Amino acid sequence: MATSTLIQYLESTDAAGADLGITPSYRSQFETFIATEAIALGQAVGMDLSQSTDAKRALSVRLCDGNVGDRKNFVGVATHAAAVGERVKVCLSGFCEAKIENGVTQGAPLTLSVNVGNLDGYQAADVLAVAGYCVDANSSGSAAIRTVILIKQF
C-alpha cells in the first residue's frame, strides 16, 4: 500500500530538540510488500519476477543482484528485516538507510552491486540505472549500512 507523498510536517526535531530521523517528512516514500526470501535491513530489493502471476510479482520482493537478469529490477531498500512470507516496508525514494559497499564516497551515484542486496558506487562502464546517491561515505573496510537518497524507479 502506497504512503502519501504529501509533506505534512516540516520539522527536523521534536519539541525537546531530538532529531526525528528519517521520516516521510524527509521526502521519503514507502510501500509494503511480501518477502519471498529472507531480507535484512538496508538491502536492495526488487519485484520477484519468478512468481507465477503478475499479481504475485507486483506484491512480492526479493533481493536484487547486479549479476542476475531477473534480479536487476530495483524497487527500493528494505527498512527492516523480514523472513519469507512476512511483510516488508520498502523505501522507494528519498532518505533511507541502505547497505552499501566499502569505498563509496559521499555524493557518489549508486547502482546495484554484484554482491546480492547491496548498492555500490556507479562506474562509467555500468549499464544499470542510478538508484540514488550516497549521503554518508563508507570507508569501514566492508559493506555497511549508510544513509542514502533513493531515486524512485517505478
Side-chain angles (χ1 to χ4, degrees):
M1 174 179 243
T3 56
S4 171
T5 57
L6 298 175
I7 303 301
Q8 299 173 6
Y9 187 70
L10 294 176
E11 300 297 329
S12 61
T13 57
D14 65 15
D19 183 16
L20 292 174
I22 295 172
T23 70
S25 291
Y26 283 16
R27 308 319 197 247
S28 298
Q29 186 177 3
F30 305 90
E31 285 200 28
T32 301
F33 295 90
I34 305 296
T36 57
E37 64 186 8
I39 297 170
L41 164 72
Q43 287 191 302
V45 297
M47 290 183 181
D48 187 348
L49 303 181
S50 72
Q51 295 296 309
S52 60
T53 67
D54 287 343
K56 288 181 181 178
R57 290 178 189 115
L59 296 173
S60 305
V61 290
R62 64 181 177 174
L63 297 175
C64 285
D65 183 338
N67 277 333
V68 179
D70 71 345
R71 287 183 176 253
K72 293 180 181 179
N73 65 334
F74 176 76
V75 168
V77 171
T79 64
H80 59 88
V84 174
E86 289 183 343
R87 291 180 183 206
V88 60
K89 183 177 174 183
V90 175
C91 179
L92 305 179
S93 65
F95 285 82
C96 66
E97 302 294 318
K99 191 169 183 185
I100 63 171
E101 297 292 347
N102 181 54
V104 177
T105 59
Q106 184 179 41
L110 299 167
T111 191
L112 293 178
S113 173
V114 296
N115 295 313
V116 178
N118 295 354
L119 296 175
D120 200 357
Y122 189 86
Q123 304 298 318
D126 285 339
V127 295
L128 298 175
V130 172
Y133 295 91
C134 181
V135 174
D136 295 326
N138 181 13
S139 58
S140 68
S142 62
I145 300 293
R146 296 290 188 263
T147 301
V148 301
I149 302 170
L150 296 182
I151 300 168
K152 190 168 184 182
Q153 302 291 311
F154 84 108

PDB file of all heavy atoms in Angstrom, residues 56-77:
ATOM      1  N   LYS A  56       1.068 -11.611  -8.210  1.00  0.00           N
ATOM      2  CA  LYS A  56       2.060 -12.045  -7.220  1.00  0.00           C
ATOM      3  C   LYS A  56       3.390 -11.328  -7.429  1.00  0.00           C
ATOM      4  O   LYS A  56       4.079 -10.991  -6.467  1.00  0.00           O
ATOM      5  CB  LYS A  56       2.253 -13.554  -7.289  1.00  0.00           C
ATOM      6  CG  LYS A  56       1.071 -14.333  -6.749  1.00  0.00           C
ATOM      7  CD  LYS A  56       1.310 -15.824  -6.819  1.00  0.00           C
ATOM      8  CE  LYS A  56       0.113 -16.595  -6.299  1.00  0.00           C
ATOM      9  NZ  LYS A  56       0.306 -18.050  -6.411  1.00  0.00           N
ATOM     10  N   ARG A  57       3.762 -11.088  -8.680  1.00  0.00           N
ATOM     11  CA  ARG A  57       5.011 -10.359  -8.964  1.00  0.00           C
ATOM     12  C   ARG A  57       4.952  -8.940  -8.390  1.00  0.00           C
ATOM     13  O   ARG A  57       5.937  -8.435  -7.865  1.00  0.00           O
ATOM     14  CB  ARG A  57       5.254 -10.297 -10.471  1.00  0.00           C
ATOM     15  CG  ARG A  57       5.619 -11.624 -11.085  1.00  0.00           C
ATOM     16  CD  ARG A  57       5.803 -11.513 -12.601  1.00  0.00           C
ATOM     17  NE  ARG A  57       5.946 -12.824 -13.167  1.00  0.00           N
ATOM     18  CZ  ARG A  57       5.070 -13.380 -14.016  1.00  0.00           C
ATOM     19  NH1 ARG A  57       4.018 -12.690 -14.433  1.00  0.00           N
ATOM     20  NH2 ARG A  57       5.258 -14.599 -14.461  1.00  0.00           N
ATOM     21  N   ALA A  58       3.798  -8.295  -8.513  1.00  0.00           N
ATOM     22  CA  ALA A  58       3.642  -6.917  -8.051  1.00  0.00           C
ATOM     23  C   ALA A  58       3.617  -6.802  -6.534  1.00  0.00           C
ATOM     24  O   ALA A  58       3.926  -5.740  -5.995  1.00  0.00           O
ATOM     25  CB  ALA A  58       2.367  -6.313  -8.634  1.00  0.00           C
ATOM     26  N   LEU A  59       3.264  -7.881  -5.838  1.00  0.00           N
ATOM     27  CA  LEU A  59       3.161  -7.859  -4.383  1.00  0.00           C
ATOM     28  C   LEU A  59       4.414  -8.368  -3.675  1.00  0.00           C
ATOM     29  O   LEU A  59       4.574  -8.154  -2.484  1.00  0.00           O
ATOM     30  CB  LEU A  59       1.981  -8.726  -3.930  1.00  0.00           C
ATOM     31  CG  LEU A  59       0.595  -8.264  -4.364  1.00  0.00           C
ATOM     32  CD1 LEU A  59      -0.447  -9.310  -3.978  1.00  0.00           C
ATOM     33  CD2 LEU A  59       0.268  -6.925  -3.761  1.00  0.00           C
ATOM     34  N   SER A  60       5.284  -9.048  -4.402  1.00  0.00           N
ATOM     35  CA  SER A  60       6.411  -9.757  -3.789  1.00  0.00           C
ATOM     36  C   SER A  60       7.743  -9.100  -4.130  1.00  0.00           C
ATOM     37  O   SER A  60       7.945  -8.621  -5.246  1.00  0.00           O
ATOM     38  CB  SER A  60       6.452 -11.199  -4.308  1.00  0.00           C
ATOM     39  OG  SER A  60       5.224 -11.850  -4.084  1.00  0.00           O
ATOM     40  N   VAL A  61       8.658  -9.116  -3.166  1.00  0.00           N
ATOM     41  CA  VAL A  61      10.022  -8.636  -3.410  1.00  0.00           C
ATOM     42  C   VAL A  61      11.039  -9.661  -2.944  1.00  0.00           C
ATOM     43  O   VAL A  61      10.773 -10.478  -2.056  1.00  0.00           O
ATOM     44  CB  VAL A  61      10.316  -7.275  -2.719  1.00  0.00           C
ATOM     45  CG1 VAL A  61       9.543  -6.157  -3.374  1.00  0.00           C
ATOM     46  CG2 VAL A  61      10.079  -7.325  -1.236  1.00  0.00           C
ATOM     47  N   ARG A  62      12.193  -9.600  -3.580  1.00  0.00           N
ATOM     48  CA  ARG A  62      13.352 -10.408  -3.192  1.00  0.00           C
ATOM     49  C   ARG A  62      14.597  -9.572  -3.412  1.00  0.00           C
ATOM     50  O   ARG A  62      14.535  -8.468  -3.965  1.00  0.00           O
ATOM     51  CB  ARG A  62      13.396 -11.707  -3.996  1.00  0.00           C
ATOM     52  CG  ARG A  62      13.598 -11.502  -5.475  1.00  0.00           C
ATOM     53  CD  ARG A  62      13.613 -12.813  -6.213  1.00  0.00           C
ATOM     54  NE  ARG A  62      13.738 -12.595  -7.651  1.00  0.00           N
ATOM     55  CZ  ARG A  62      13.882 -13.557  -8.510  1.00  0.00           C
ATOM     56  NH1 ARG A  62      13.915 -14.815  -8.119  1.00  0.00           N
ATOM     57  NH2 ARG A  62      14.001 -13.306  -9.785  1.00  0.00           N
ATOM     58  N   LEU A  63      15.737 -10.079  -2.982  1.00  0.00           N
ATOM     59  CA  LEU A  63      16.993  -9.327  -3.069  1.00  0.00           C
ATOM     60  C   LEU A  63      17.406  -9.073  -4.508  1.00  0.00           C
ATOM     61  O   LEU A  63      17.247  -9.936  -5.367  1.00  0.00           O
ATOM     62  CB  LEU A  63      18.102 -10.082  -2.342  1.00  0.00           C
ATOM     63  CG  LEU A  63      17.897 -10.279  -0.845  1.00  0.00           C
ATOM     64  CD1 LEU A  63      19.012 -11.136  -0.271  1.00  0.00           C
ATOM     65  CD2 LEU A  63      17.818  -8.949  -0.130  1.00  0.00           C
ATOM     66  N   CYS A  64      17.940  -7.899  -4.749  1.00  0.00           N
ATOM     67  CA  CYS A  64      18.485  -7.564  -6.060  1.00  0.00           C
ATOM     68  C   CYS A  64      19.906  -8.111  -6.179  1.00  0.00           C
ATOM     69  O   CYS A  64      20.612  -8.277  -5.189  1.00  0.00           O
ATOM     70  CB  CYS A  64      18.533  -6.054  -6.248  1.00  0.00           C
ATOM     71  SG  CYS A  64      16.942  -5.313  -6.564  1.00  0.00           S
ATOM     72  N   ASP A  65      20.303  -8.365  -7.411  1.00  0.00           N
ATOM     73  CA  ASP A  65      21.644  -8.855  -7.710  1.00  0.00           C
ATOM     74  C   ASP A  65      22.056  -8.253  -9.045  1.00  0.00           C
ATOM     75  O   ASP A  65      21.412  -8.512 -10.069  1.00  0.00           O
ATOM     76  CB  ASP A  65      21.627 -10.379  -7.789  1.00  0.00           C
ATOM     77  CG  ASP A  65      22.997 -10.997  -8.018  1.00  0.00           C
ATOM     78  OD1 ASP A  65      23.900 -10.310  -8.511  1.00  0.00           O
ATOM     79  OD2 ASP A  65      23.162 -12.192  -7.700  1.00  0.00           O
ATOM     80  N   GLY A  66      23.110  -7.451  -9.058  1.00  0.00           N
ATOM     81  CA  GLY A  66      23.582  -6.807 -10.268  1.00  0.00           C
ATOM     82  C   GLY A  66      24.104  -7.759 -11.321  1.00  0.00           C
ATOM     83  O   GLY A  66      24.382  -7.349 -12.443  1.00  0.00           O
ATOM     84  N   ASN A  67      24.245  -9.066 -10.986  1.00  0.00           N
ATOM     85  CA  ASN A  67      24.745 -10.069 -11.922  1.00  0.00           C
ATOM     86  C   ASN A  67      23.656 -10.925 -12.546  1.00  0.00           C
ATOM     87  O   ASN A  67      23.933 -11.674 -13.476  1.00  0.00           O
ATOM     88  CB  ASN A  67      25.729 -11.017 -11.222  1.00  0.00           C
ATOM     89  CG  ASN A  67      27.119 -10.445 -11.147  1.00  0.00           C
ATOM     90  OD1 ASN A  67      27.519  -9.641 -11.964  1.00  0.00           O
ATOM     91  ND2 ASN A  67      27.867 -10.866 -10.146  1.00  0.00           N
ATOM     92  N   VAL A  68      22.433 -10.884 -12.024  1.00  0.00           N
ATOM     93  CA  VAL A  68      21.388 -11.817 -12.458  1.00  0.00           C
ATOM     94  C   VAL A  68      20.247 -11.043 -13.110  1.00  0.00           C
ATOM     95  O   VAL A  68      19.636 -10.168 -12.484  1.00  0.00           O
ATOM     96  CB  VAL A  68      20.855 -12.651 -11.262  1.00  0.00           C
ATOM     97  CG1 VAL A  68      19.754 -13.596 -11.700  1.00  0.00           C
ATOM     98  CG2 VAL A  68      22.003 -13.416 -10.612  1.00  0.00           C
ATOM     99  N   GLY A  69      19.946 -11.365 -14.366  1.00  0.00           N
ATOM    100  CA  GLY A  69      18.989 -10.619 -15.168  1.00  0.00           C
ATOM    101  C   GLY A  69      17.651 -10.355 -14.518  1.00  0.00           C
ATOM    102  O   GLY A  69      17.176  -9.221 -14.518  1.00  0.00           O
ATOM    103  N   ASP A  70      17.008 -11.382 -13.951  1.00  0.00           N
ATOM    104  CA  ASP A  70      15.675 -11.165 -13.379  1.00  0.00           C
ATOM    105  C   ASP A  70      15.727 -10.644 -11.943  1.00  0.00           C
ATOM    106  O   ASP A  70      14.710 -10.551 -11.277  1.00  0.00           O
ATOM    107  CB  ASP A  70      14.814 -12.425 -13.473  1.00  0.00           C
ATOM    108  CG  ASP A  70      15.248 -13.540 -12.548  1.00  0.00           C
ATOM    109  OD1 ASP A  70      16.369 -13.500 -12.012  1.00  0.00           O
ATOM    110  OD2 ASP A  70      14.444 -14.474 -12.346  1.00  0.00           O
ATOM    111  N   ARG A  71      16.907 -10.259 -11.471  1.00  0.00           N
ATOM    112  CA  ARG A  71      17.061  -9.662 -10.143  1.00  0.00           C
ATOM    113  C   ARG A  71      17.628  -8.238 -10.212  1.00  0.00           C
ATOM    114  O   ARG A  71      18.086  -7.690  -9.223  1.00  0.00           O
ATOM    115  CB  ARG A  71      17.958 -10.528  -9.257  1.00  0.00           C
ATOM    116  CG  ARG A  71      17.275 -11.808  -8.807  1.00  0.00           C
ATOM    117  CD  ARG A  71      18.184 -12.583  -7.876  1.00  0.00           C
ATOM    118  NE  ARG A  71      17.541 -13.762  -7.357  1.00  0.00           N
ATOM    119  CZ  ARG A  71      17.112 -13.890  -6.107  1.00  0.00           C
ATOM    120  NH1 ARG A  71      17.263 -12.914  -5.244  1.00  0.00           N
ATOM    121  NH2 ARG A  71      16.554 -15.005  -5.710  1.00  0.00           N
ATOM    122  N   LYS A  72      17.598  -7.639 -11.400  1.00  0.00           N
ATOM    123  CA  LYS A  72      18.130  -6.289 -11.590  1.00  0.00           C
ATOM    124  C   LYS A  72      17.052  -5.218 -11.537  1.00  0.00           C
ATOM    125  O   LYS A  72      17.330  -4.055 -11.755  1.00  0.00           O
ATOM    126  CB  LYS A  72      18.861  -6.201 -12.929  1.00  0.00           C
ATOM    127  CG  LYS A  72      20.119  -7.044 -12.991  1.00  0.00           C
ATOM    128  CD  LYS A  72      20.789  -6.907 -14.340  1.00  0.00           C
ATOM    129  CE  LYS A  72      22.029  -7.770 -14.420  1.00  0.00           C
ATOM    130  NZ  LYS A  72      22.670  -7.658 -15.740  1.00  0.00           N
ATOM    131  N   ASN A  73      15.806  -5.599 -11.257  1.00  0.00           N
ATOM    132  CA  ASN A  73      14.681  -4.645 -11.283  1.00  0.00           C
ATOM    133  C   ASN A  73      14.522  -3.957  -9.927  1.00  0.00           C
ATOM    134  O   ASN A  73      13.551  -4.144  -9.220  1.00  0.00           O
ATOM    135  CB  ASN A  73      13.394  -5.343 -11.715  1.00  0.00           C
ATOM    136  CG  ASN A  73      12.946  -6.401 -10.723  1.00  0.00           C
ATOM    137  OD1 ASN A  73      13.751  -6.963  -9.995  1.00  0.00           O
ATOM    138  ND2 ASN A  73      11.672  -6.660 -10.682  1.00  0.00           N
ATOM    139  N   PHE A  74      15.456  -3.108  -9.602  1.00  0.00           N
ATOM    140  CA  PHE A  74      15.491  -2.410  -8.322  1.00  0.00           C
ATOM    141  C   PHE A  74      14.207  -1.616  -8.080  1.00  0.00           C
ATOM    142  O   PHE A  74      13.764  -0.854  -8.929  1.00  0.00           O
ATOM    143  CB  PHE A  74      16.693  -1.465  -8.285  1.00  0.00           C
ATOM    144  CG  PHE A  74      16.781  -0.620  -7.062  1.00  0.00           C
ATOM    145  CD1 PHE A  74      17.202  -1.162  -5.863  1.00  0.00           C
ATOM    146  CD2 PHE A  74      16.436   0.719  -7.105  1.00  0.00           C
ATOM    147  CE1 PHE A  74      17.295  -0.374  -4.720  1.00  0.00           C
ATOM    148  CE2 PHE A  74      16.521   1.523  -5.968  1.00  0.00           C
ATOM    149  CZ  PHE A  74      16.956   0.968  -4.780  1.00  0.00           C
ATOM    150  N   VAL A  75      13.602  -1.827  -6.893  1.00  0.00           N
ATOM    151  CA  VAL A  75      12.409  -1.093  -6.467  1.00  0.00           C
ATOM    152  C   VAL A  75      12.748  -0.158  -5.313  1.00  0.00           C
ATOM    153  O   VAL A  75      12.305   0.976  -5.269  1.00  0.00           O
ATOM    154  CB  VAL A  75      11.287  -2.075  -6.053  1.00  0.00           C
ATOM    155  CG1 VAL A  75      10.163  -1.361  -5.351  1.00  0.00           C
ATOM    156  CG2 VAL A  75      10.769  -2.828  -7.264  1.00  0.00           C
ATOM    157  N   GLY A  76      13.551  -0.645  -4.363  1.00  0.00           N
ATOM    158  CA  GLY A  76      13.886   0.165  -3.203  1.00  0.00           C
ATOM    159  C   GLY A  76      14.725  -0.594  -2.201  1.00  0.00           C
ATOM    160  O   GLY A  76      15.342  -1.604  -2.528  1.00  0.00           O
ATOM    161  N   VAL A  77      14.701  -0.102  -0.957  1.00  0.00           N
ATOM    162  CA  VAL A  77      15.529  -0.658   0.116  1.00  0.00           C
ATOM    163  C   VAL A  77      14.639  -1.040   1.294  1.00  0.00           C
ATOM    164  O   VAL A  77      13.770  -0.252   1.707  1.00  0.00           O
ATOM    165  CB  VAL A  77      16.594   0.386   0.535  1.00  0.00           C
ATOM    166  CG1 VAL A  77      17.326  -0.053   1.783  1.00  0.00           C
ATOM    167  CG2 VAL A  77      17.568   0.627  -0.599  1.00  0.00           C
TER     168      VAL A  77
END
